Amino acid sequence: MAAVFFQHAIDHVCRLSRVLRQPRGNAMLVGVGGSGKQSLTRFASYISGFKTFQIELSRGYGVAEFREDLKKLYRTAGVDGEPIVFLFSDTQIVQECFLEDINNMLNSGEVPGLFATEEKDRIVIDIREWMEKTGGNPTKDGCYSAFINRVRDNLHIVLTMSPVGDAFRARCRQFPSLINCCTIDWFSNWPAEALLSVSQTFLANTDLGSRAVRDAVAQMCVHIHRSVEDMSVRFYLELRRRYYTTPKSYLDLINLYLQLLQEKRQELRQARDRLLDGLRKLNETNVLVTSMKADLARLQPELEAKAAATADLLVKVAADQQEAEKVKAVVAAEEKEVKAMQVQTQGIADEAKADLAEALPALQAAIDSLKALNKNDIVEIKSFPKPPLLVQMTMEAVCILKQEKPDWETAKRVLSDTTFMKSLEEFDKDNIPDIVIKKLKKYIDDPQYQPDVVAKQSRAAMSLCMWTRAMDVYHRVAKTVEPKRQKLREAESQLERANKQLQEKQDALAAVVARVNRLQQQLADAQSEQRQLNDQADLTRKRLDRAGKLTSGLADEGIRWQATADQLDTQIHLLVGDVFLSAACIAYYGAFTGSYREQLVSSWVSKCQQLSIPVSQSCTLRGTLASPVEVREWLLGGLPSDGTSVDNGILVTRGKRWPLMVDPQGQANTWVKNLESHNGLRVMKLTDSNFLRTLENCIHIGHPCLIEDVGEVLDPALEPVLQRCTFKQGGRLLIRLGDADVDYDPSFKLYITTKLANPHYLPEVCIKVTIINFTVTMQGLEDQLLVEVVRQERPELEEQRDRLITSITADKKQLQELEDKILKLLRECEGNILDDEQLLATLNTSQHTSAAIQNRVKEAEETERDINTARESYRPAATRGSILYFTIADLAGINPMYQFSLAYFIRMFSHCIEASGKSGDLATRLKLLSDFTTSFVFRNVSRGLFEEHKLLFSFLMCTSILRHLSCDDISEVEWSCLVRGAAATAAVSGPDSSQQQQTAKPGQLQWLPDAAWMGLQALEQCVGVLKGIIDSLVQDHKAWQAWYNEAEPQNKSLPHYWQDRIGNHFAKLLLIKQLREEQLVFAVQQYVASKLGKEFTEPEPWALDDVFQETNSKTPVIFILSTGADPTAMLERFGERKGWLMGQRLHVVSLGQGQGLLAETMIKQAAGAGDWVCLQNCHLAASWMRRLEEKVEELADEHSGNSQVHPDFRLWLTSMPSPVFPVLVLQNGFKLTNEAPRGVKSNIGRTYNDTGNNVLDSCLSKPSEWKRLLFTLSFFHAVVQKRRKFGPLGWNIRYEFNTSDLECSRSTLHMFLSEQEHIPWDALQYVIGEVNYGGRWVLVQENLCRTVCKDWTSGRNLLRFI
C-alpha cells in the first residue's frame, strides 16, 4: 500500500507510538471514517514491534463471538506474553454491550464472566511456570491476578470513533473509561498542505503534458475536495440532507483519475489509430492507382510484340510436329514386330526351363547331400574291408560316372582322392557319354538301389546314391532340352539384331521429339510470358476498377474519418481536464441533486481554466464517459432521459465503489433489474434468511446482485464485499465472507438501493459505497408524464416513437459495428489491398449497408423530430403533473405520514387523462386536463392531510404552478422574500446589495413598526413591481395608515394607484407579510381562491362510499389519526351498509404486544375469504411494522405465493403520525385523515357526511322529530368541540370530546324516539347532558353547560333553533 507521510500524518504516528510505548497505554482516535485512523494505528504498532488484532464480523456475530475473540486476545497477551494492539472501530459495535466489556478492560483489565472456572484453571496452569520464573505468588489467585496484570501490560487498546451523530456523545457518557483511561487524539480534516502533498506524490509519475499542468492538477484536487466540503454544508443548510467527504474520497478521486485517464487515453488512441490506419490504406490505394495507370500504358506495346513472336513460333512447331509423327509411325511398326519376336523367344525359354525343372530339384538334393558329407563319412566307406552290397553298388556307379573301373579297389582309390567331393559337385553333367549312362542303367534299374535302402547300410553311401541317380535323371532330361536350347540361342540372336535396329530408329525419333519439345517449350514460354503480361494487364485493370470502387465508396468516410481523427486528437489533449472532472464527479457529487451538481462542475471548469488545465468549455460527465449507443440502451431499460439520470447511470457503471442508490421512487430499482436481467440478476433484502448464502453464490458464479430497501446502517457482513478485500491463494482469487473463503468472480456486480427519501449515511458508509441520488428530477418526471399523456391521447404517435427509438438504437449500434468492421479489415489487411477480392467485397457490402442504414437513421431521426414536435404540444399537461408531484413530495417534510410514491401519482395522473373533459381543440383539451388534474390531485391528497396543512398544501400547489417557467408569475426573488424574508433576500440577491443603506423612518410613519419599515425598504430593492412603495408610503401616509388599521386589510383595496398596479399579484402577499403578518394566512387563502378556485381553500369532506370505489384488494387504506379521533365506528357502519358485519366479515385487531401473529393470521385468512381486516394503532407496534411492510408487499406482488387475493378483501390500518410506520405502505396506500373538524360548520358537515341517508331515514316512528333533534345534537357536539379552541375561556380543562360521544348520544336518541310514544325530554337531557358529555366534566363550573344542553333539548325551544 502506497503511503504519503505528510506532517499531519507524522504527528499522529508520533502520538500513537508514544501511547503504545507507555505502560498500559491506550488510545481513542476520534475522526470521520477514511481519515487514516486504522492505517496509522497499524503503522505505529509495526514500529513498536507489536501485533495488531481486529475482530472479523460475520452475519450473526454477537456477544458470544466477541467474547471468544477477547479470550484469544487475553491468552496472547497474558499467557504467551506477546505485546499486542487491539484495534476496535465503532463500525464493529454490533451491540452496545461490546463497549461495556471494553470499558471494563480499560478500567480494571478484567471482563466479568469472561472465563469459565475450567478456563481459569487452565490459564493458571499455563501461567504458573512464568510466575515461578519471575518469583511471583504461585497460588491460584496470585496466578490469575498476575495473568490480568500481564494482559494489561501487553495489551494496548486503540479505539477508532467517529464524532458524527449522537452515538459518540452517548457512548462517552455511558462508558466513562473511554475518556478516563484513553489518550484522545482528534483526527481533524486534512489540511491543504497534506492534501496537496498526497496529490503531488500520486501524480508524480503521470504524463499530463507538462510539469506545470501536473502541479495545477494537484492543486485542483485540493480545490475540488474543499469545494465539495463547502457544498455539503450548504446542502444540509438548504435541503437538510447530510453528505460527508473524507480523505478516503480524496484518495479515490486521485486513483480513479489515474485509472480513467489511462483507459480513456488508450480508448481514444485506439479509435484514432484505427481511423488513421483506414486513411493510410485509402491514401496508399490512391498512390497505387497512379502507378498502375503508368504500368498499364507501358505493357501495351510489349503485349503486341509478344503476340507476333508467339504466332511465328507456333507455325514452326506445327511443321516439326508433323515430321516427328511420321517417324513415330515407322518406329511403332518395328516395335510391334520386335515385341512379337520377344514373345516367341520367351516361349522357347520357358519351355526349356520347364523341362529342366524336373531334374534340377533331384540334382540339388544330391548336391546338398554331398555337401553334408565330411571326411569321416568318406573314411567310414573306405574302412570297409568288404563293403556291403549296396555300398559296393553305389561306389561302382560312382566309378562308372567318373569313367573308372567299377570295382572296390578303384572305388577306394577314388575315395582317397582329396578332390573327390569337389569333383562330384563340379561334375560335368551336361556332357556325360551315352555309354556311361548305359552302364549306369543296370544300377538305376535295380529296385534295391534306392537312397533310403542304401541309407540302412551307410549314410554316406546314401548321398552318393542320390548323386548317381540325379546324374541319370539330369542326363535323360538334358537330351530333351538341348535342341530347345539351341533354338533359343538362335531366337535370342535374331531378337538382338532386331532390337539394335529398333534402338537406332528410336534414337532418331527421340532426336526429332526432343527438337519438337524444345520448340514446344519455347512456345509454352512465349505463351506463358504473353499470358503473364495479359494477366498483369487484367490485374491492373481490375485493381483500377476495385480502387475506383474503394475510393469512391469510402471517399465520404475518409473525410469523416479525418475529421473524427482530428477531433479525437483534440479530445486526447483535453482528456487531462475532462477525465479529471469526470473522476471528481464520480468520487464526490453522486449524493447531490442536479442543481448542486451543475454548480460544482461549473465552478470546477472555471478553476481549471484559471490554472491553465486543458479542459472542454462545456465539460460534462455524460459527454466524457458515456457513449450515445450505451445511453440509448439505458433509456430503453427504463432510465429517465434527463441529464441528471444519465449521469447517475454513469456513476453506477463507472464508479470504483459499489453504488448505493437513494431511490424513493423505485426508478433505479427498475432500471437495474432491466439492465441486468439477461445476466442472471439476483434480488434480495438484508432481512432475507438466506441473504448471505445468496450473496456467496453470486460472488462465486459472477452473477449481479441487487440488495433492495436497505436502511441507514448496512450489515457488517457486507464489509469485505464493499471494500473488495480480495486476495490470491494458489492461483485463485478469493474473498473472505464471514468465516469462509469464497471464490471471487471478477464479473460480479453489486447494486444497493434504499427507498428512504432523505437517509443520513455516516462517513463510515460514505467511504465504502458511491452514494447516488436517484430521486426523480423535474425534467425526468415531465418526460415520463409526457409519455403517459401521448400514449393515451395519441397512442399511434407514441407507438411509432417507441418503434423509432428502438430502430434508431439498433441501427446506430449496427453502424458502429460496421465501421469497426471496416476499420478492422483495413488494419489487418496485409500486402496489396486491391488483390483481396473477399476483403473488397466485404468492404463494399459493409459500405452499402452502412450507407443504407445511415439514410434510414437520417429519415428516422427526421421522423422522430416531427413526432417529438407533435408530442411537445402535449407538454403543458406533463409539466403541470410534474409540478404537482414535486409539491406532493415536499409534504413529507411536514409530516412523516404524508408519503406518496411516484407509481401512486402516475396512477392518479393516468386516471385524470381518462376522466377529464375532452375537446377537439388541443389548447382547450390541455386546459381541461390541467385543471382537472390539479383539482383531482388536490382532492385525493388533501383527504390524507390534517386540516392545519390543507391550506399550506393548496398554497404550495398554487405558488409552484405560478413559479414555473411555463407561467413565470412569481419570480424566485419574490418567493424568497416570502419564505426567507425580504431583508435576507436583499442581502443576497438584491441589486448592489452591498451598497444599499437603510434610511431612517420618517416621523409621520411612527405608527409603522421599525421591522416593517426595514422590510419594505428591502422589498423595494428586490421586487420590481414595488418600486416607489417607500415614497408612496411617506407621501400618502394617512391612506396607508388607514389601510394598515383595517381589521381585514387583505379584503380592502390598497391606497391610490397601488391597487391597480398590484391587484391580486403575489406582491400583495409580501406587503401583508411586512405590514400585517397576522393576516397573512387569510390573505393566502384569498390568493389561492383567486388563482385556483374556492374549492382549493374549502375542500369537501371525504366519504367512505366515494373512497371505497377507488380502493382495491392489494392496497391498504390508512386512517391517519389525531387525538380523540377513532374511525372504527364509522368503518363499522360502512361495513354494515356493504354487508361486512363486525365480527363476521369485518375483523378488528388492536395492535400491541403479542398481537402481531394474530394480525398475520387474520390477514392471511381474510385475503382468501374476501373479508375485511382493520389493524388499529399501528404506531404502538413498532417492532411489527417491518412484518406489516412485508405482508403488504406480498399482497401487492402478483408473482408471490399470496397472489390469489380475493377481490373483496380490504386491509384497513389506523395510526397516529409516527416515524416507525413503513414508508412503502404509506407511499402506496390510500390515506385518510381522521380528526375532529375545525369549526362548527365543518364539524356539522363531517357529521352528516359520515351519517348517510340511511341513518337520516332510519326512525320511521318520528321522522321529523328525529331529523330535527339529530341536527340539534350535531350542532351541540360541534359547539362543545369548538370551545376547546379558546382554551380556559372555553373549558377550564381541555376535554377530549370525540366522535364516540356523538355516536353514543345519537344511538340513545334513536332508541328513545323509536321505543317511546312521546319524546322523553328529561331522559334525553340526563343521558346526553349528564352521562355522555357531562361524565367528562370534573369541575362544578362546567355543569352550567348541562343547562345549555337542557335548553337545546327542550321541546319549547326546539322549533326556534331549527
Side-chain angles (χ1 to χ4, degrees), residues 70-85:
L70 291 184
K71 290 177 184 178
K72 297 176 184 177
L73 191 65
Y74 266 61
R75 292 194 66 87
T76 302
V79 176
D80 300 337
E82 297 182 6
I84 190 169
V85 174

Side-chain angles (χ1 to χ4, degrees), residues 658 699 719-729 732-737 741-746 748:
W658 297 126
I699 293 174
E719 182 79 15
V721 182
L722 298 179
Q723 299 281 14
R724 305 195 190 196
C725 300
T726 58
F727 60 93
K728 283 192 175 182
Q729 185 178 22
R732 297 164 57 197
L733 185 64
L734 302 173
I735 186 171
R736 186 162 189 81
L737 194 62
D741 292 336
V742 182
D743 287 291
Y744 188 90
D745 193 313
F748 167 73

Side-chain angles (χ1 to χ4, degrees), residues 1128-1274:
T1128 307
M1130 176 179 60
L1131 180 61
E1132 181 181 355
R1133 291 194 305 272
F1134 178 73
E1136 290 176 357
R1137 294 200 302 270
K1138 292 291 185 179
W1140 272 260
L1141 301 179
M1142 177 73 76
Q1144 297 180 10
R1145 299 198 65 187
L1146 173 59
H1147 310 283
V1148 179
V1149 178
S1150 182
L1151 293 179
Q1153 187 174 4
Q1155 295 299 305
L1157 183 60
L1158 175 61
E1160 288 188 45
T1161 305
M1162 284 287 187
I1163 293 174
K1164 184 176 181 180
Q1165 294 175 351
D1171 293 349
W1172 293 358
V1173 175
C1174 177
L1175 304 182
Q1176 295 179 319
N1177 302 322
C1178 292
H1179 58 282
L1180 300 179
S1183 60
W1184 190 73
M1185 287 298 96
R1186 181 65 186 178
R1187 185 58 185 156
L1188 172 64
E1189 181 178 1
E1190 293 175 358
K1191 296 300 294 184
V1192 172
E1193 280 186 310
E1194 291 175 5
L1195 293 174
D1197 187 4
E1198 298 179 356
H1199 304 287
S1200 68
N1202 295 329
S1203 59
Q1204 300 300 325
V1205 179
H1206 197 285
D1208 291 337
F1209 169 73
R1210 293 295 185 274
L1211 178 61
W1212 310 85
L1213 307 174
T1214 70
S1215 175
M1216 296 288 287
S1218 172
V1220 302
F1221 198 90
V1223 174
L1224 178 66
V1225 180
L1226 282 172
Q1227 287 183 340
N1228 295 284
F1230 296 96
K1231 290 178 284 296
L1232 304 172
T1233 53
N1234 189 260
E1235 62 176 334
R1238 305 178 67 182
V1240 175
K1241 179 180 178 181
S1242 61
N1243 198 318
I1244 295 176
R1246 168 65 66 85
T1247 300
Y1248 272 81
N1249 186 62
D1250 295 342
T1251 301
N1253 293 328
N1254 57 337
V1255 177
L1256 292 175
D1257 299 332
S1258 62
C1259 187
L1260 301 179
S1261 61
K1262 301 178 181 63
S1264 177
E1265 292 83 349
W1266 160 249
K1267 293 179 180 179
R1268 295 188 179 194
L1269 286 175
L1270 181 60
F1271 178 78
T1272 302
L1273 180 61
S1274 301

Side-chain angles (χ1 to χ4, degrees), residues 37 219 285 376 737 754 868 1349:
K37 301 187 296 294
Q219 295 175 18
T285 303
N376 294 330
L737 194 62
T754 178
N868 287 337
C1349 178

Side-chain angles (χ1 to χ4, degrees), residues 933-949:
T933 302
T934 306
S935 177
F936 182 81
V937 170
F938 176 75
R939 289 198 307 271
N940 277 268
V941 173
S942 62
R943 70 190 181 193
L945 305 180
F946 291 117
E947 289 293 331
E948 60 180 339
H949 298 142

Side-chain angles (χ1 to χ4, degrees), residues 286-346:
N286 292 331
V287 173
L288 285 173
V289 168
T290 304
S291 175
M292 287 186 296
K293 287 181 179 179
D295 292 342
L296 188 61
R298 178 179 52 80
L299 286 175
Q300 195 62 34
E302 293 184 14
L303 284 172
E304 295 174 358
K306 285 292 181 183
T310 302
D312 296 339
L313 187 59
L314 184 61
V315 173
K316 185 176 180 180
V317 170
D320 290 347
Q321 183 73 27
Q322 187 177 5
E323 181 182 355
E325 290 296 330
K326 293 178 181 180
V327 177
K328 185 184 293 186
V330 175
V331 172
E334 292 189 4
E335 281 183 349
K336 186 174 180 181
E337 294 177 1
V338 171
K339 287 181 179 180
M341 293 175 64
Q342 289 177 346
V343 171
Q344 184 179 3
T345 302
Q346 186 65 37

Side-chain angles (χ1 to χ4, degrees), residues 134-181:
T134 57
N137 182 7
T139 63
K140 180 177 180 180
D141 293 339
C143 288
Y144 187 75
S145 177
F147 166 74
I148 295 299
N149 290 328
R150 196 180 189 193
V151 168
R152 298 187 69 183
D153 293 337
N154 290 324
L155 177 61
H156 300 274
I157 300 175
V158 178
L159 306 175
T160 61
M161 312 292 283
S162 172
V164 178
D166 299 328
F168 176 66
R169 184 184 304 107
R171 288 164 180 167
C172 289
R173 288 199 303 264
Q174 294 173 7
F175 308 105
S177 294
L178 301 182
I179 304 295
N180 301 333
C181 301

